[in-house]
Amino acid sequence: MGALYFRLVKLLGTVGIHPRGEISLGQVIDEIRKNPNSRKAGALASFVGMVREDPVAHSESKVRYLEYEAFKEVAVQKLQELRTDLVKREGIVDVSIHHVVDRLQVGEDSLIVAVLGARRRSVFPVLEEAVERVKQDVPIWKKEFTSDDAYWVNSVR
């Protein structure tokens, strides 16, 4: 199982850009727990970014939905580079990062990150860094649609 897992991760990675409905927190948790080194882990932390109704721009209008777009090939490559960097950190066993690129309604998941590590003190800083670096480094764009307007958000933060 161990060699097969690592060959699959090398081939596919535990990262992805997905259409709506293709990925869930449960799937990400199940995937990361299959790492053969998971028995060395004492902590699993996750983050789920969700569409909220409060707009990024200062407005009285509520968000109706968001549309995410990505330069998919580059986005997947950047996610894999980020994952590769983060799994080198002391105490980290595995990292999984998945972003949804589609039209998403308020309350739907847009970003799922999971970090498996030896201890909680190892996983929380890496989890936060992963989320921030996805927003800074990965070519994913967000357009907000409110009851009054539609506009591109400069940075997906």
Side-chain angles (χ1 to χ4, degrees):
M1 171 69 179
L4 175 61
Y5 175 85
F6 289 115
R7 281 198 307 268
L8 285 172
V9 167
K10 187 172 182 175
L11 178 66
L12 303 173
T14 57
V15 302
I17 299 294
H18 307 275
R20 178 179 178 215
E22 186 180 85
I23 193 76
S24 70
L25 177 60
Q27 289 171 298
V28 172
I29 298 295
D30 289 346
E31 172 189 45
I32 205 167
R33 285 178 179 262
K34 289 179 184 171
N35 184 313
N37 292 323
S38 65
R39 64 187 172 277
K40 296 177 183 178
L44 172 60
S46 63
F47 170 85
V48 177
M50 299 168 28
V51 177
R52 66 178 181 272
E53 70 176 0
D54 294 329
V56 171
H58 300 293
S59 168
E60 296 297 317
S61 301
K62 299 292 185 191
V63 170
R64 293 182 332 180
Y65 60 91
L66 301 179
E67 285 185 359
Y68 286 94
E69 293 184 10
F71 184 169
K72 187 173 180 178
E73 294 80 11
V74 175
V76 169
Q77 178 184 346
K78 292 287 187 182
L79 290 173
Q80 189 61 53
E81 290 170 3
L82 173 57
R83 179 190 172 276
T84 298
D85 181 45
L86 295 175
V87 297
K88 293 176 186 174
R89 305 292 170 85
E90 184 177 342
I92 299 303
V93 175
D94 206 351
V95 176
S96 185
I97 309 167
H98 297 268
H99 206 297
V100 177
V101 176
D102 209 329
R103 176 182 284 194
L104 298 175
Q105 303 297 319
V106 171
E108 289 188 294
D109 300 344
S110 58
L111 175 62
I112 301 171
V113 180
V115 179
L116 188 65
R119 293 177 172 70
R120 69 179 181 276
R121 289 189 180 122
S122 302
V123 297
F124 288 123
V126 170
L127 180 65
E128 183 174 14
E129 182 179 347
V131 172
E132 293 305 319
R133 287 178 61 187
V134 166
K135 293 174 177 287
Q136 292 171 1
D137 301 340
V138 182
I140 297 172
W141 303 278
K142 175 172 77 172
K143 190 171 187 178
E144 282 191 342
F145 291 82
T146 68
S147 52
D148 298 330
D149 202 3
Y151 47 85
W152 290 99
V153 177
N154 287 339
S155 177
V156 180
R157 292 194 188 251

